[in-house]
Amino acid sequence: MNSVQPDADAADVGNRRILLVEDEATIAQVVHDYLVLAGFQVDVAGDGFSALHLARTHNPDLIILDRMLPGLDGVEVCRRIRRTQSMPIIMLTALGTEDDRILGFEMGADDYVTKPFSPRELVLRVKSVLRRSIKEFTPEPPVELAGFVLNPASRIVRYRNENLTLTAREFDLLAFFLRRPNQVFSRDVLIKAVWGWDFGDLSTVTVHVRRLREKIEANPTLPVLLKTVWGVGYRFDDGTEPASHD
């Protein structure tokens, strides 16, 4: 561990609190040390029930959550946390199948990392997610469009005078579309622009679009706002242009 050096840009995300949920002691210790050296406060839980307790009492800025845990698995932990809290969740999975990743996203995970992974790369992923989700990072101006009022500084979106409950990635995805109405974007473009990935599992975008529709559409199976342009990608219609039948 002596070879690990603190990152020069650790101050980018400040002294944020991370909850690391990992039952393998060796992995937990290595990741803990890398995160601490990067300037984070780190709490560690070794099982699902302890993770729920620490998430509730310590209110971390981000959670790193192992998929396979004793007592209560990571997917169920994620689902329960999402009932009341919206901090970013990065899921660690040794399974790596598309179905497993999709299940994690459907339960509310914002990102995933497949084992085995580089601890340094995990720290960079943590910083990337935090930069997108923490309000102090020079937010863009608010947006008012099609009944939506989006405030990047507070990470709050109101739609028809009601606050929406969104995960960090859902917020970022909706913000991206609201700033670019009536334009079509492929999944490749979205995964680069919203997730910051040069490559990745494009089903990530599909799942998040579906989850977002469930929160903003009167009928998610017949969307009138966030539409699919078959063979191309997705478009947010603000009602100012004639809508085609997608």
Side-chain angles (χ1 to χ4, degrees):
M1 301 305 299
N2 291 335
S3 62
V4 181
Q5 298 297 322
D7 290 320
D9 63 343
D12 283 359
V13 290
N15 190 25
R16 304 294 169 182
R17 182 177 292 276
I18 309 296
L19 172 57
L20 170 62
V21 187
E22 171 60 65
D23 65 314
E24 295 186 40
T26 300
I27 295 176
Q29 187 62 56
V30 171
V31 173
H32 170 276
D33 291 348
Y34 269 81
L35 290 168
V36 169
L37 285 167
F40 296 107
Q41 302 177 58
V42 185
D43 301 305
V44 180
D47 63 82
F49 291 106
S50 297
L52 291 176
H53 174 73
L54 288 175
R56 183 176 63 254
T57 58
H58 289 202
N59 194 30
D61 295 292
L62 180 143
I63 298 175
I64 300 172
L65 178 61
D66 191 21
R67 169 68 171 80
M68 306 297 291
L69 294 169
L72 200 66
D73 74 8
V75 170
E76 178 61 17
V77 171
C78 185
R79 186 181 71 84
R80 295 191 187 188
I81 288 173
R82 280 291 176 252
R83 290 175 181 171
T84 57
Q85 296 174 284
S86 60
M87 75 282 286
I89 297 176
I90 298 176
M91 190 164 284
L92 305 179
T93 174
L95 302 179
T97 66
E98 181 178 356
D99 288 345
D100 184 64
R101 292 192 295 271
I102 288 175
L103 178 60
F105 288 130
E106 288 180 338
M107 291 301 103
D110 298 284
D111 208 341
Y112 72 90
V113 173
T114 304
K115 293 181 176 180
F117 57 85
S118 159
R120 182 175 289 278
E121 290 179 2
L122 178 58
V123 170
L124 292 176
R125 187 71 65 88
V126 166
K127 290 180 177 182
S128 174
V129 172
L130 281 172
R131 287 191 187 100
R132 291 178 175 271
S133 63
I134 294 175
K135 62 185 179 183
E136 288 85 355
F137 285 101
T138 314
E140 295 179 285
V143 179
E144 294 189 25
L145 184 76
F148 291 87
V149 180
L150 181 141
N151 189 329
S154 61
R155 303 284 295 184
I156 291 174
V157 183
R158 293 181 64 80
Y159 181 49
R160 294 178 176 174
N161 296 318
E162 292 187 6
N163 286 354
L164 297 178
T165 302
L166 304 176
T167 68
R169 290 297 190 194
E170 290 166 358
F171 180 95
D172 293 335
L173 183 60
L174 180 58
F176 181 87
F177 279 117
L178 288 177
R179 294 186 186 283
R180 301 162 183 85
N182 308 310
Q183 300 180 53
V184 181
F185 298 96
S186 69
R187 294 190 300 170
D188 290 291
V189 169
L190 291 170
I191 209 165
K192 291 177 182 177
V194 178
W195 278 258
W197 301 350
D198 290 329
F199 58 89
D201 185 352
L202 296 181
S203 64
T204 302
V205 178
T206 305
V207 172
H208 279 78
V209 167
R210 183 168 70 243
R211 286 177 56 85
L212 192 53
R213 282 173 172 162
E214 291 171 354
K215 298 179 180 182
I216 67 174
E217 299 281 2
N219 183 351
T221 63
L222 296 172
V224 298
L225 295 168
L226 186 48
K227 293 191 172 184
T228 299
V229 180
W230 296 109
V232 184
Y234 301 102
R235 181 185 69 237
F236 182 88
D237 283 348
D238 67 355
T240 61
E241 295 185 357
S244 62
H245 296 287
D246 299 322

